[in-house]
């Protein structure tokens, strides 16, 4: 049964999951998503919009005001009704396919279970954003302190090389593109298509980043991560699989890959999978590392449920100039060709020619001889 609006109510079948990234793999257009996702983040919200859900019932606060989370706003901007409830204890009792009816924006019935709900409005989101901005300095201070504490504890991991694992992919003196499932990662990947075509970099997908590459027609050479958001189709695409495990070697993804019969290597390391991917490319001799969609600021990490970014700070310090961050590049991309741009491009191209004329004796001699020839023919 698909959801439909009937006389002020919303009825339909539900899809339930504590992890929104798992739910969006199963939900179909017109169904109602039941999640438990505090401070709904941008990526989750855009995935729900893309899935064309009829409504979202969140059994956790969609926006708390602790920081500026944008997920709730995105849903409402795209016409997706959002309801909050404090009935997280009921999540294990709910199942995909059960029928829900939302009545008067205050209560919903899932089968025979009544759940008190509250509709989230733009006015409330604005109030929570104002609260978040007022608390920004305190929150940033706590985030920095936490980052420094863990950086001090974990610095030895990043000074030392990663544990050795075999790889048939040659990265020595090559460009390496690392695709992470971060903000605007799909748009950014489209924007750098010409770069991929021209330089043919080694393609590394971090978890769901592998699916993003496949969606754009590129096959990843390597997939790195804890494999919690990558599809089975991506795992079977022929890429080398490197499972990012905890420092003690525990790898929750091991059971899944063994069940699928896919060969893999285990790489134990602290930090995020994207950080491990950068370190791995660096140690394999990459000339340049281009990170697309990578998490790099406080909001990014708060949305991931992390209270600091020690590993990212240390990795970026280690990478130095070799690392190029392509996050948000699509925001600078112009779809329309403007004739005035040709003027600026032409002017820019002329600058090095003029500079060469001034600096190089050979070029100066060329222009001098050309001028003498012109004077000769004018006589």
């Amino acid at each position: 049964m698909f959801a439909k609006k009937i006389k002020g109510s919303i009825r339909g079948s539900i899809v339930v999951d504590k992890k929104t990234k798992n739910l969006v793999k199963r939900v179909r257009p017109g169904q109602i998503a039941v999640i438990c996702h505090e401070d709904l983040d941008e990526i989750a919200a855009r995935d729900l919009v893309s899935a064309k859900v009829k409504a979202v019932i969140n059994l956790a606060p969609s926006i708390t005001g602790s920081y500026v989370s944008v997920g709730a706003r995105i849903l409402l901007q795209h016409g997706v009704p959002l309801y909050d409830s404090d009935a997280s204890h009921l999540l294990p009792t709910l199942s995909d396919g059960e029928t829900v009816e939302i009545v008067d924006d205050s209560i919903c019935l899932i089968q025979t279970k009544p759940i008190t709900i509250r509709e989230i409005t733009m006015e409330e989101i604005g109030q929570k954003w104002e609260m978040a901005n007022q608390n920004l300095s305190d929150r940033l201070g706590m985030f920095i302190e936490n980052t420094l504490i863990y950086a001090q504890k974990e610095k030895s991991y990043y000074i030392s090389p990663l544990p050795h694992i075999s790889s048939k992919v040659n990265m020595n003196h090559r460009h390496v593109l690392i695709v992470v499932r971060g903000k605007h990662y799909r748009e950014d990947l489209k924007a750098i298509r010409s770069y991929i075509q021209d330089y043919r970099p080694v393609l590394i997908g971090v978890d769901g980043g592998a699916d993003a590459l496949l969606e754009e027609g590129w096959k990843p050479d390597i997939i790195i991560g804890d494999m919690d958001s990558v599809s089975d189709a991506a795992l079977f695409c022929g890429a080398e699989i490197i499972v990012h495990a905890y420092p003690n070697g525990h790898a929750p993804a091991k059971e899944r890959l063994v069940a699928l019969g896919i060969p893999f290597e285990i790489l134990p390391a602290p930090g995020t999978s994207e950080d491990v991917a950068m370190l791995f490319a660096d140690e394999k001799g990459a000339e340049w590392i281009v990170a697309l969609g990578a998490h790099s600021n406080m909001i990014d990490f708060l949305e991931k449920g992390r209270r600091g970014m020690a590993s990212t700070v240390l990795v970026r310090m280690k990478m130095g100039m070799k690392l190029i961050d392509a996050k948000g590049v699509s925001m600078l991309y112009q779809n329309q060709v403007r004739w005035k741009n040709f003027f600026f491009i032409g002017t820019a191209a002329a600058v090095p020619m003029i500079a060469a004329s001034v600096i190089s004796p050979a070029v100066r001699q060329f222009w001098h001889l050309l001028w003498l020839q012109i004077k000769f023919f004018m006589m």
Side-chain angles (χ1 to χ4, degrees), residues 5-185:
K5 196 83 175 273
I6 302 177
K7 296 181 181 181
S9 68
I10 296 176
R11 294 180 182 177
S13 64
I14 62 171
V15 177
V16 187
D17 208 301
K18 185 175 182 179
K19 292 188 175 182
T20 310
K21 60 186 176 183
N22 293 335
L23 180 144
V24 295
K25 298 175 184 177
R26 307 194 313 271
V27 70
R28 292 176 292 170
Q31 290 185 301
I32 296 173
V34 179
I35 62 177
C36 189
H37 193 150
E38 184 175 302
D39 281 315
L40 191 63
D41 63 86
E42 179 177 346
I43 296 174
R46 292 194 183 280
D47 284 344
L48 288 167
V49 170
S50 298
K52 299 180 180 179
V53 297
K54 183 65 176 180
V56 176
I57 300 172
N58 195 353
L59 304 184
S62 295
I63 178 167
T64 64
S66 61
Y67 67 94
V68 180
S69 58
V70 300
R73 186 182 185 91
I74 289 171
L75 288 179
L76 268 58
Q77 286 177 333
H78 287 83
V80 180
L82 173 62
Y83 304 89
D84 275 9
S85 174
D86 59 0
S88 59
H89 61 283
L90 292 178
L91 188 71
T93 70
L94 305 177
S95 303
D96 288 3
E98 291 184 324
T99 302
V100 64
E101 181 177 5
I102 299 172
V103 183
D104 296 331
D105 306 329
S106 61
I107 194 168
C108 71
L109 290 172
I110 300 181
Q111 299 296 84
T112 59
K113 306 178 188 75
I115 299 177
T116 302
I117 59 173
R118 180 175 57 83
E119 184 177 14
I120 302 301
T121 64
M122 280 294 190
E123 181 181 3
E124 179 181 349
I125 292 172
Q127 293 171 352
K128 292 294 177 65
W129 275 23
E130 184 177 348
M131 183 191 305
N133 286 323
Q134 291 173 352
N135 298 328
L136 180 61
S137 295
D138 291 340
R139 192 60 188 260
L140 180 59
M142 293 170 57
F143 188 87
I144 292 172
E145 287 178 6
N146 201 41
T147 296
L148 294 175
I149 290 171
Y150 279 90
Q152 181 67 27
K153 290 180 179 179
E154 298 175 354
K155 64 181 182 181
S156 60
Y157 285 106
Y158 301 95
I159 295 172
S160 306
L162 291 170
H164 175 75
I165 61 172
S166 60
S167 174
K168 296 180 181 179
V169 178
N170 180 22
M171 290 183 248
N172 197 34
H173 299 300
R174 294 185 63 186
H175 288 213
V176 174
L177 173 64
I178 298 173
V179 178
V180 182
R181 191 172 166 269
K183 293 178 182 178
H184 304 292
Y185 69 104

